[in-house]
Amino acid sequence: MIQRTLFQKGLLLILALGLLTSGSIASAESPEGTSRFFSPPPEDSIPSGPFGDLVRKGERIFTQTRKYAHPYVGNDLTCESCHLNRGRKAYSAPLWGAYVLYPRYRKKNHRVNTLEDRIRGCFRFSMNGMPPPSDSETIKALVAYSFWMSRGAPVGEKLTGRGMINLESPKRTPDPFSGKKVYAARCALCHGLHGQGRKSHGETAFPPVWGARSFNQGAGLFKVSKLAGFIKMNMPLSKGDSLTDQEAWDVAAYIDSQPRPKKP
Amino acid sequence: MRSIILAVLFLPVLFFWEGEKAMADDLVAWGKHIAEAGNGKPGNTACMECHRLTGGGMPSIGGPRIAGQTMEYISREIREVQQGKRYGPVMAGVVQNLSKRDIQAVATYYSQLSPPKVSDIHTPSPKLVSLGKQIAHRGLWKKNIPACIQCHGQNGYGVPPLFPYIAGQNRTYLLQQLLSYAFLKRKDDPQGLMRGIAKRLSTEERKAVAEYFSSLSPPR
């Protein structure tokens, strides 16, 4: 008898929700936001033919780096781990913002760098791997992908949303102890209490943020200021810009105080 | 002589080990009993009435598939329903009298099962399935929505312990939950992650992802 009424309750609920879906809810939606950033061409506009094939190959390498560029990868990250939405998201050093600025001078190695050099740098440090030769298919595909994505962007211009954000200097010196608390509350759910990341059926789902399988000490994110800027705009995933600047500095200081592979 | 000493030393260990195992077996047996007949207290209904004994769920009434979700996730959801943090109008009427141990037992029992998919009552629309697939794998970053599989794992198989699998779940339930996060009182998601995403999806997009994930097979 009790079960009977419960079943009826369940059915009523479904009906009620059904009504809701068809009616009032539609009006609660906000229109699709217009973007203040450069919009790269949509993915379904990649042309067919050899150029399109190279672009698609670049996209695959970018999102499944270990699978498609195996010999050059030394950790559990992909290019997309730091360049979100397949290299499209503003303030995660999007490819459309990068392509139009190279070749350019970099203080880090005191010379004019090509895009190829820059990508090889990310392999060496961020992916803790072996840089592919400049004339390899891997580099050609990644350059083609970047070129295609910047179609329509003004050459030589620093576009809004390019690179990562430079946070203002913190009011108080970044403090790993406060950072540890932020990490436990806002990051450990996905990246694990020990920074190890999480797997789903054997595949990396959330990348490790420190330890042997993360980026090495030569990587851009090993600089607390760079990491703080990345975190501020991109983390927790889908909740970018929800930490205070100080929290971003503190948690960056904590993460960069943890062990990781040495600079090669 | 030496072997006797060894035996004396190891016996307690052996008993302890056996004891642990027996307790674990007991726990699963008690969990199965609750699933089949309830825990005997008033106000508790056997889980199988709505989730089946094997945990495959009941698409016709929107009873979710729970087999193979993690022990942590299943027990967490029941506790949140008890505490009123998770909107669960049906569940709220049947789990109030479960003790901590009951919850652990029944959660362990269901987490270990993987029955075949119970077929949905509904034939999916190809158009919605293909929109759903696009959102599931690429997200809708214009609205700050990452690909669903980034948090729910490859193919929607879940990321243990707290990101549930959604592949092969029934469509009615999936849609109900997206609506509960967006408009009703399912407020138990960590950091409001799922509420934010469900709110930003449009009516059509919610239907599309529900159709897509229900058209897949569950893990294992």
Side-chain angles (χ1 to χ4, degrees), chain B residues 36-220:
Chain B
E36 206 164 9
N39 69 353
K41 293 190 187 144
N44 181 254
T45 311
C47 321
M48 67 176 273
E49 302 290 347
C50 308
H51 298 288
R52 290 177 201 260
L53 190 54
T54 53
M58 288 194 191
S60 55
I61 59 155
R65 179 184 172 95
I66 56 175
Q69 295 288 18
T70 61
M71 197 277 281
E72 291 89 338
Y73 178 75
I74 299 177
S75 25
R76 181 177 183 277
E77 295 311 300
I78 297 175
R79 273 185 274 117
E80 309 277 74
V81 168
Q82 285 183 334
Q83 294 162 10
K85 292 187 200 157
R86 171 172 172 175
Y87 178 77
V90 181
M91 278 290 281
V94 294
V95 294
Q96 293 304 340
N97 283 334
L98 292 180
S99 71
K100 237 173 117 176
R101 181 162 183 275
D102 291 344
I103 295 176
Q104 199 196 353
V106 76
T108 307
Y109 166 71
Y110 275 122
S111 70
Q112 294 173 352
L113 303 176
S114 58
K117 181 176 176 178
V118 179
S119 61
D120 226 318
I121 40 176
H122 163 96
T123 4
S125 120
K127 196 169 145 260
L128 284 177
V129 169
S130 105
L131 174 63
K133 183 173 182 181
Q134 170 84 11
I135 299 170
H137 290 267
R138 299 195 168 221
L140 282 167
W141 280 94
K142 276 212 173 88
K143 297 199 268 184
N144 198 21
I145 298 174
C148 312
I149 60 162
Q150 281 203 300
C151 286
H152 290 282
Q154 282 297 320
N155 310 318
Y157 282 179
V159 186
L162 286 180
F163 292 83
Y165 73 78
I166 53 178
Q169 184 59 277
N170 70 70
R171 173 183 167 277
T172 309
Y173 175 74
L174 288 174
L175 190 54
Q176 259 183 30
Q177 295 314 302
L178 291 173
L179 293 170
S180 300
Y181 285 123
F183 305 106
L184 302 169
K185 295 201 180 93
R186 183 165 179 185
K187 294 191 173 166
D188 64 322
D189 52 331
Q191 300 188 38
L193 287 169
M194 207 45 227
R195 265 172 286 169
I197 287 166
K199 277 198 188 93
R200 296 195 289 272
L201 289 167
S202 74
T203 304
E204 199 197 14
E205 289 155 1
R206 275 184 223 108
K207 278 191 193 146
V209 286
E211 295 247 325
Y212 172 65
F213 282 108
S214 62
S215 76
L216 303 177
S217 305
R220 262 172 305 233

Side-chain angles (χ1 to χ4, degrees), chain A residues 42-56 148 151:
Chain A
E43 258 140 19
D44 55 17
S45 74
I46 300 177
S48 48
F51 171 64
D53 290 344
L54 198 61
V55 172
R56 268 183 290 271
W148 171 78
R151 212 178 56 193

Side-chain angles (χ1 to χ4, degrees), chain A residues 145-166:
Chain A
Y145 181 50
S146 314
F147 167 74
W148 171 78
M149 202 183 288
S150 71
R151 212 178 56 193
V155 174
E157 212 164 286
K158 289 199 166 176
L159 297 168
T160 317
R162 73 153 291 276
M164 290 178 187
I165 215 164
N166 289 315

Side-chain angles (χ1 to χ4, degrees), chain A residues 3 6-7 13-14 17 21 25 29 32 43 59 85-86 89 185-186 190 198-200 206 236 238-239, chain B residues 45 49 61 87 89 94 137-138 141-142 144 146 150 153 158-160 163 176 183-184 191 200 202-203:
Chain A
Q3 289 160 13
L6 282 166
F7 271 117
L13 182 84
I14 293 163
L17 281 166
T21 8
I25 286 172
E29 279 149 23
E32 191 128 325
E43 258 140 19
E59 186 182 30
N85 186 16
R86 301 167 183 256
K89 188 179 172 299
R186 302 297 303 272
C190 296
R198 292 191 195 279
K199 293 194 183 273
S200 165
F206 302 122
S238 83
K239 297 224 131 191
Chain B
T45 311
E49 302 290 347
I61 59 155
Y87 178 77
V94 294
H137 290 267
R138 299 195 168 221
W141 280 94
K142 276 212 173 88
N144 198 21
Q150 281 203 300
V159 186
F163 292 83
Q176 259 183 30
F183 305 106
L184 302 169
Q191 300 188 38
R200 296 195 289 272
S202 74
T203 304

Side-chain angles (χ1 to χ4, degrees), chain A residues 155-251:
Chain A
V155 174
E157 212 164 286
K158 289 199 166 176
L159 297 168
T160 317
R162 73 153 291 276
M164 290 178 187
I165 215 164
N166 289 315
L167 285 187
E168 272 178 43
S169 307
K171 291 204 186 67
R172 127 175 108 51
T173 317
D175 165 23
F177 290 98
S178 316
K180 186 174 181 175
K181 286 185 207 140
V182 177
Y183 186 85
R186 302 297 303 272
C187 322
L189 171 74
C190 296
H191 294 291
L193 209 50
H194 308 290
Q196 77 280 19
R198 292 191 195 279
K199 293 194 183 273
S200 165
H201 287 246
E203 305 252 348
T204 299
F206 302 122
V209 287
W210 69 77
R213 307 299 300 166
S214 189
F215 56 86
N216 70 38
Q217 295 185 344
L221 292 191
F222 188 60
K223 246 176 94 184
V224 173
S225 58
K226 193 61 87 188
L227 182 56
F230 170 81
I231 293 170
K232 171 74 181 178
M233 295 315 282
N234 298 296
M235 290 291 140
L237 189 71
S238 83
K239 297 224 131 191
D241 211 4
S242 72
L243 299 181
T244 63
D245 287 6
Q246 188 70 52
E247 284 171 332
W249 279 106
D250 289 346
V251 76

